[in-house]
Amino acid sequence: MVEIVDEWSELPAQDGLAAELAELSVGAGVATEFWDWRGEHVSVPRTTILAVLTALGMDVSTPSRARATLAERHLATWRHRLPDVVVVRQPEGGEVRVHVPEGWPGAVSVHTEDGQVLALDPLAHRGVTRRVDDIPMMEVAFGIPAGLPLGWHSLHACTNQGGDPAANPDAGRPDATCPLVVCPAALPLPDGLAQRSAWGFMIQLYATRSRRSWGLGDLGDLAELASWSARQLGAGFVLVNPLHAGEPTPPLEPSPYLPTSRRFGHAIYLRVEQIPEAAYLSLADHHRLVELAASARLPAGPAELIDRDAVWAAKRPALELVRALGLSPARRAQYEDFQRQQGEDLETYATWAALAEQHGSDWRTWPVELRDPRSAAVTQAREGLADQVSFHRWCQWVLDEQLAQAQQAARSAGMGIGVVADLAVGVSRGGADTWAYGPLYAGQVSVGAPPDAFNQQGQDWSQPPWRPDLLAQVGYVPFRDTVRAALRHAGGLRLDHVLGLFRLWWIPQGQGPAAGTYVRYDHDALLGILALEAHRVGALVIGEDLGTVEPWVRDVLAERGLLGTSILWFERDGSGRPRPPERWRRLALASVTTHDLPPTAGYLRGEHVRLRARLGLLTRPEAQELAADRADQAAWMDLLNDGQLRRPDDLPVEPEATVLALHRLLARTPSVLHGVSLADAAGDRRTINQPGTIDAYPNWRRPLADPGGQPVFLEDLEAASWSRRLAATMADPDPGNDGPAG
């Protein structure tokens, strides 16, 4: 990191953002001011601006160097013939500005995915001319025609339109290319959702255990839950937590939102017995498999915390037993097809995992020569670790198969959507993705959230953000491939903190969450690519748009056909009153609660306030927070009564009755999707995750439990009358039709 020297401190306080620094910030999308959650104007400290610009690769260590950096940025666009990437919407056209020497005799053309070549016409408008590196340059605008097919095409700028190839061998050859992405103007809803809403369970898969799973829920459990909830309860989808890859060695990170890679999956979710080759284990190896499974299962009694390390310690040798059996010729061909499809990315990930087993899961602590995946030392190490690399490559293949099986089970059972995957906002600082993509991540800052009503001290998620400038330079291909991987076997995709496609809260290293600022991204390009990839597989997209949201952001999401997120407790009108159900958003996933709040029965008891008070996360006294929360809840209870959403025999003091009434309200909203927390179906009352904490609370480690803390298995849910009553409420919100009160 470039040291910020004291010359900046010599500027007067009112000149804290000199003109060149302000211009650099605007050009880089770095906010120098914003409005906080209380509606108060905040001026970002100069130290934060300097640190964030430095993380973006700019030398702003002194005012004079900042001035030189600004001058270079003014010339950067002119030094590139074509933009980094061009994204347009179908059926609209557009234009591309080309920077060429004066008198350039060239041409620009579009090369489509299917091999068509279309010449572009220059527009009458021409931009300014200027000298760049002593060369007179001009800017020429070319029109991109309307009606181009959806897809990833390319733009080509050729130096010459023709000529004798013998005299000029470069005639007609492109001297610059860039991606041209044609995306849908709006993502259409899947068939059926245009006429009616669908409901489904929102689950934490690791917590959703059956008596067959190995200490945590797995992909076999996901397939079973999807099939049961569709066939027996009429569910249209199941939303699952991120299943991204984690560390290959202990300690395993419990948070599914802090993965090592978003491009690949976590082998801990494999159902070992469902791998086809497991049927051919010898008797001795089968007994060994049974012993390993028993060692991973939690003891009977009160629901213990999930021990991912113990589960993986059992599953890894079990997976090795199965892999050692080899593959039939047909299965070998399928495996080879998978490897070809995944290409170099799979090899890089498997290499990282093998090296992590040897050197630890944070590549920043590895020997220096192994920190670059393209180095000769890594190539040599890959050869020496060939068997370990092969193991991790094989794990990704069988994961891909079981994900496909879960989606097939959901669709075969009648789910219109099936599995909805979840995409975390980022990755761990020393994991596989940051090793693979290197400088595309800004290493001197963390992603987080500013102080808000939910977490009044702000949040630091310990994740490095994409650098928006470098992501554009590589044509957004890493983002595209991440989205493609998430949608490979899913009918929908939820994006955690979708606001990150618009702006992210960057926190300089060593600073608290409140000391950050926003950095803007090209949301039009990112949303367009997201919509294109979802459209190609017929999936829907849900953006988690909670928190401090600029008003226009939700309008943009709706315009592009992307669903937002509505949580009952946060749904209020401009006067702060609970929003009546008929006035909720149509394009949204609506639910009563979320994984960052207690299950509904716990929320009604004020557990979210008491927990934050115990952890020191409040900025005002607990009694004051509880009083405010009771007032908020009272307003919702009034709405329930006014809307006749209670049954005549409901007692207000019974939380189960109120839970049903709140879900009746949810079912009456026009939102496209209605989500029901599986924790609510189990009767659990404990918080899944408390934002702003790491070890102070057992985040992401609690298995499903009943109100008394006893474990609830998938088989128990299938037999329970409560889960059926809750499901019946979603199917028919009439207070008289929610099933027997047993």
Side-chain angles (χ1 to χ4, degrees):
M1 183 173 178
V2 177
E3 182 181 1
I4 307 298
V5 299
D6 288 340
E7 287 185 38
W8 283 108
S9 64
E10 297 174 2
L11 293 173
Q14 65 270 22
D15 195 24
L17 285 176
E20 59 270 16
L21 191 60
E23 189 174 347
L24 278 172
S25 300
V26 171
V30 178
T32 61
E33 59 182 359
F34 62 92
W35 297 89
D36 70 10
W37 65 285
R38 294 186 179 93
E40 297 177 358
H41 181 263
V42 177
S43 294
V44 179
R46 185 178 63 218
T47 53
T48 296
I49 298 294
L50 292 170
V52 169
L53 290 175
T54 299
L56 284 165
M58 301 183 203
D59 186 353
V60 291
S61 53
T62 67
S64 60
R65 290 180 180 175
R67 200 169 296 117
T69 297
L70 181 60
E72 282 297 307
R73 287 180 66 84
H74 284 161
L75 293 175
T77 300
W78 285 84
R79 287 178 173 146
H80 291 86
R81 189 139 301 172
L82 291 170
D84 295 324
V85 60
V86 177
V87 180
V88 299
R89 301 188 206 180
Q90 189 191 66
E92 302 170 10
E95 68 174 44
V96 56
R97 294 179 180 270
V98 185
H99 297 96
V100 293
E102 283 190 332
W104 176 68
V108 177
S109 58
V110 172
H111 292 230
T112 65
E113 283 183 331
D114 60 5
Q116 297 182 60
V117 179
L118 306 172
L120 302 187
D121 296 324
L123 302 177
H125 167 75
R126 295 196 171 209
V128 297
T129 60
R130 67 183 302 170
R131 295 189 69 84
V132 180
D133 302 325
D134 290 329
I135 299 173
M137 301 287 290
M138 65 180 181
E139 181 182 77
V140 183
F142 285 80
I144 297 174
L148 286 174
L150 296 175
W152 287 79
H153 314 306
S154 59
L155 287 167
H156 292 236
C158 299
T159 300
N160 291 283
Q161 299 182 38
D164 182 359
N168 183 4
D170 291 329
R173 293 184 181 177
D175 56 358
T177 64
C178 77
L180 169 63
V181 188
V182 180
C183 55
L187 183 63
L189 289 173
D191 292 342
L193 285 182
Q195 289 75 39
R196 56 174 299 175
S197 300
W199 80 272
F201 284 124
M202 306 182 300
I203 75 167
Q204 299 292 311
L205 182 56
Y206 57 85
T208 310
R209 301 172 300 156
S210 67
R211 289 182 171 83
R212 294 184 177 182
S213 51
W214 295 30
L216 55 67
D218 59 33
L219 291 171
D221 296 321
L222 176 59
E224 172 64 25
L225 174 68
S227 181
W228 163 68
S229 64
R231 295 182 191 278
Q232 300 297 321
L233 307 179
F237 68 92
V238 55
L239 169 61
V240 66
N241 62 276
L243 304 181
H244 306 318
E247 297 80 3
T249 57
L252 272 62
E253 168 60 48
S255 173
Y257 292 94
L258 188 57
T260 65
S261 173
R262 298 187 298 172
R263 177 72 175 77
F264 295 97
H266 205 318
I268 202 168
Y269 289 115
L270 282 168
R271 173 69 66 86
V272 180
E273 297 90 338
Q274 288 185 357
I275 301 172
E277 286 69 36
Y280 302 100
L281 287 170
S282 68
L283 185 60
D285 284 345
H286 176 73
H287 284 317
R288 174 62 176 150
L289 192 71
V290 172
E291 291 173 352
L292 288 168
S295 72
R297 293 190 176 109
L298 295 178
E304 302 286 344
L305 296 180
I306 289 170
D307 187 345
R308 288 170 172 81
D309 293 349
V311 173
W312 185 237
K315 278 197 176 179
R316 197 194 191 289
L319 291 167
E320 288 282 20
L321 281 176
V322 176
R323 185 176 72 105
L325 293 169
L327 300 171
S328 68
R331 293 273 291 162
R332 168 63 59 182
Q334 293 169 6
Y335 182 29
E336 290 172 352
D337 285 345
F338 174 78
Q339 292 179 80
R340 279 191 294 271
Q341 292 167 4
Q342 300 302 309
E344 184 180 345
D345 285 354
L346 175 61
E347 193 70 12
T348 300
Y349 169 76
T351 301
W352 174 86
L355 287 169
E357 288 184 312
Q358 188 173 61
H359 299 288
S361 295
D362 187 340
W363 62 264
R364 298 171 301 168
T365 66
W366 294 357
V368 174
E369 64 274 13
L370 297 178
R371 297 178 190 176
D372 181 354
R374 291 156 289 277
S375 71
V378 167
T379 300
Q380 183 178 4
R382 181 186 296 120
E383 294 170 355
L385 296 170
D387 189 60
Q388 293 94 317
V389 172
S390 176
F391 170 77
H392 292 289
R393 195 191 303 122
W394 173 83
C395 281
Q396 292 304 312
W397 174 53
V398 289
L399 262 173
D400 188 75
E401 287 191 320
Q402 291 195 4
L403 283 166
Q405 291 163 8
Q407 175 66 351
Q408 181 58 43
R411 298 301 294 269
S412 296
M415 280 190 169
I417 301 167
V419 175
V420 177
D422 199 349
L423 184 65
V425 68
V427 295
S428 62
R429 197 174 292 279
D433 279 3
T434 57
W435 187 66
Y437 295 125
L440 290 183
Y441 286 96
Q444 297 109 1
V445 292
S446 291
V447 173
D452 58 24
F454 185 62
N455 195 311
Q456 297 165 15
Q457 297 181 2
Q459 301 174 50
D460 185 338
W461 301 331
S462 303
Q463 298 170 322
W466 292 116
R467 276 185 53 176
D469 55 334
L470 297 187
L471 192 58
Q473 285 181 23
V474 295
Y476 297 106
V477 168
F479 174 74
R480 177 200 68 187
D481 291 347
T482 298
V483 170
R484 281 184 179 175
L487 285 169
R488 185 171 165 85
H489 301 299
L493 178 63
R494 174 190 180 273
L495 272 77
D496 190 51
H497 196 66
V498 74
L499 307 182
L501 301 187
F502 294 81
R503 64 179 188 179
L504 273 174
W505 185 254
W506 286 27
I507 306 165
Q509 273 187 345
Q511 301 296 314
T517 190
Y518 289 107
V519 175
R520 290 200 176 276
Y521 290 73
D522 187 344
H523 68 271
D524 192 61
L526 292 168
L527 292 176
I529 292 167
L530 177 62
L532 171 61
E533 297 305 319
H535 184 273
R536 287 185 148 182
V537 296
L540 56 76
V541 174
I542 305 159
E544 188 265 293
D545 56 351
L546 305 175
T548 305
V549 184
E550 294 173 295
W552 59 272
V553 168
R554 290 191 172 116
D555 294 336
V556 170
L557 291 176
E559 175 196 341
R560 304 304 294 269
L562 308 183
L563 277 61
T565 301
S566 295
I567 306 299
L568 181 140
W569 304 113
F570 304 151
E571 282 295 311
R572 296 182 176 275
D573 62 21
S575 301
R577 294 186 297 267
R579 194 186 308 278
E582 64 273 9
R583 292 173 53 196
W584 286 33
R585 286 185 287 176
R586 168 70 177 155
L587 289 180
L589 164 66
S591 63
V592 176
T593 189
T594 177
H595 57 247
D596 288 333
L597 293 173
T600 305
Y603 191 94
L604 291 168
R605 288 174 165 79
E607 288 298 323
H608 53 300
V609 176
R610 294 186 178 90
L611 177 58
R612 285 185 290 158
R614 289 199 302 271
L615 299 175
L617 298 176
L618 297 178
T619 58
R620 58 183 180 177
E622 178 181 355
Q624 190 175 348
E625 286 285 343
L626 279 170
D629 184 64
R630 290 191 191 101
D632 286 343
Q633 290 194 27
W636 282 104
M637 299 308 109
D638 290 342
L639 184 61
L640 294 181
N641 293 329
D642 293 344
Q644 298 181 336
L645 289 159
R646 295 178 182 273
R647 294 200 321 187
D649 57 345
D650 284 348
L651 295 176
V653 296
E654 291 182 353
E656 291 79 10
T658 304
V659 170
L660 285 178
L662 290 168
H663 282 85
R664 290 184 197 116
L665 184 153
L666 176 70
R668 290 187 179 182
T669 69
S671 299
V672 171
L673 300 181
H674 297 139
V676 176
S677 168
L678 196 64
D680 280 347
D684 209 341
R685 297 174 181 174
R686 305 162 307 163
T687 297
I688 296 169
N689 170 59
Q690 176 54 56
T693 65
I694 299 175
D695 297 321
Y697 182 80
N699 296 323
W700 316 111
R701 292 191 283 262
R702 293 194 181 278
L704 277 180
D706 65 16
Q710 295 298 312
V712 172
F713 293 93
L714 189 52
E715 297 90 342
D716 303 326
L717 279 174
E718 294 177 357
S721 61
W722 170 250
S723 59
R724 292 179 179 274
R725 289 184 68 195
L726 196 57
T729 297
M730 300 310 301
D732 183 354
D734 186 325
N737 295 329
D738 60 357

